[in-house]
Amino acid sequence: MRIALLEDDRAQAEMMRAWLVEGGHDVQVYALGKALVRELGRDSFDLVVLDWMLPDTDGIQVLKWIREHVEWPMPVLFVTGKDEEDDIVKALDNGADDYMVKPVKRMELLARLKAVSRRAVAQDDGQKVFDFGLYTVDLGTRSVSFRGEPIELTQKEFDLTVFLFRGAGRVLSRGHILESVWGRSPDLNTRTVDTHVSRIRNKLDLRPEHGWQLKAVYQHGYRLEAVEIPAVE
């Protein structure tokens, strides 16, 4: 997952970041709530870990902003020193998915993140073939077909297609796409994403008549949207 970690204690932030990276996640650390909110306005993440007590605001206010402005139910996990029952209830009532009290343990943190993500996003249960309207994605053969006809894609084009369909309805930043599809590739830039998205749009012929449209979101990234196909009279 691509995770945003809001924690103003540098030592705590570095420790948690190291745990998450060792667990296979990409992590961006923020010390101020305003910095995270600003980044959420132009970038995308799979999950957010919030501290409560911050120099410029508090975690509840950040949580409220996320629930009001992020277009999909992005999982949020509180990790904080506030351990009163009223605090826990307040966080959960305002939309937090889970709550951990410091000091946290490495394995429990990774397990909680996995559980929160599993509840929010359908996990791979062994199914290999997925239908997205007129399109069929086969993970086993790494192939995509339209109305039963195969579409010729490169390996990266296939990976990008899967990522876009699985994130349908979400705005996905170029950085998020680059990290998730290409991994950590310092020799690549966001033009690589733009070029591949253009190829995907053309090869899959993504347009409203086929039930999908792939939109560019200015200064942000892309969103694949399902479109209702008009009934034929």
Side-chain angles (χ1 to χ4, degrees), residues 179-233:
E179 288 182 12
S180 299
V181 176
W182 279 268
R184 295 169 182 260
S185 303
D187 57 324
L188 298 175
N189 56 48
T190 54
R191 288 300 303 166
T192 299
V193 173
D194 296 333
T195 299
H196 279 73
V197 166
S198 178
R199 291 175 183 169
I200 290 297
R201 183 187 283 113
N202 292 330
K203 286 189 174 184
L204 272 64
D205 200 12
L206 294 167
R207 48 197 173 99
E209 302 94 300
H210 295 159
W212 295 92
Q213 57 185 357
L214 184 52
K215 288 186 173 181
V217 181
Y218 182 64
Q219 292 186 336
H220 192 101
Y222 295 93
R223 174 167 53 203
L224 181 62
E225 298 178 343
V227 179
E228 185 176 353
I229 302 176
V232 178
E233 296 183 0

Side-chain angles (χ1 to χ4, degrees), residues 130-187:
F130 298 86
D131 290 318
F132 298 97
L134 301 176
Y135 298 89
T136 299
V137 176
D138 189 326
L139 301 180
T141 60
R142 292 181 60 81
S143 63
V144 179
S145 60
F146 173 70
R147 288 177 169 157
E149 294 296 322
I151 299 171
E152 185 175 343
L153 299 174
T154 67
Q155 294 300 304
K156 281 300 177 209
E157 288 169 353
F158 173 80
D159 293 337
L160 177 57
T161 297
V162 172
F163 186 69
L164 290 172
F165 271 117
R166 283 182 163 174
R170 293 174 52 187
V171 176
L172 301 168
S173 69
R174 289 175 174 84
H176 194 169
I177 295 171
L178 194 60
E179 288 182 12
S180 299
V181 176
W182 279 268
R184 295 169 182 260
S185 303
D187 57 324

Side-chain angles (χ1 to χ4, degrees), residues 35-123:
L36 173 60
V37 166
R38 183 167 58 249
E39 195 66 15
L40 287 173
R42 62 191 181 195
D43 208 340
S44 57
F45 297 89
D46 296 309
L47 185 145
V48 174
V49 178
L50 292 183
D51 190 10
W52 188 310
M53 296 172 285
L54 300 162
D56 62 335
T57 184
D58 64 66
I60 291 294
Q61 295 307 311
V62 176
L63 173 62
K64 288 180 178 179
W65 187 93
I66 290 173
R67 292 299 177 240
E68 290 174 3
H69 295 89
V70 176
E71 297 178 341
W72 71 288
M74 181 168 59
V76 174
L77 169 65
F78 259 97
V79 178
T80 175
K82 294 177 73 66
D83 60 356
E84 296 293 330
E85 183 179 8
D86 288 347
D87 297 328
I88 299 173
V89 170
K90 184 176 182 180
L92 296 175
D93 282 348
N94 278 280
D97 295 274
D98 204 350
Y99 194 103
M100 296 183 69
V101 177
K102 298 176 182 176
V104 296
K105 298 178 180 179
R106 175 179 177 274
M107 295 305 294
E108 182 183 1
L109 174 62
L110 293 174
R112 292 285 190 102
L113 288 174
K114 185 176 181 180
V116 166
S117 176
R118 186 168 57 242
R119 291 197 297 268
V121 182
Q123 299 296 298

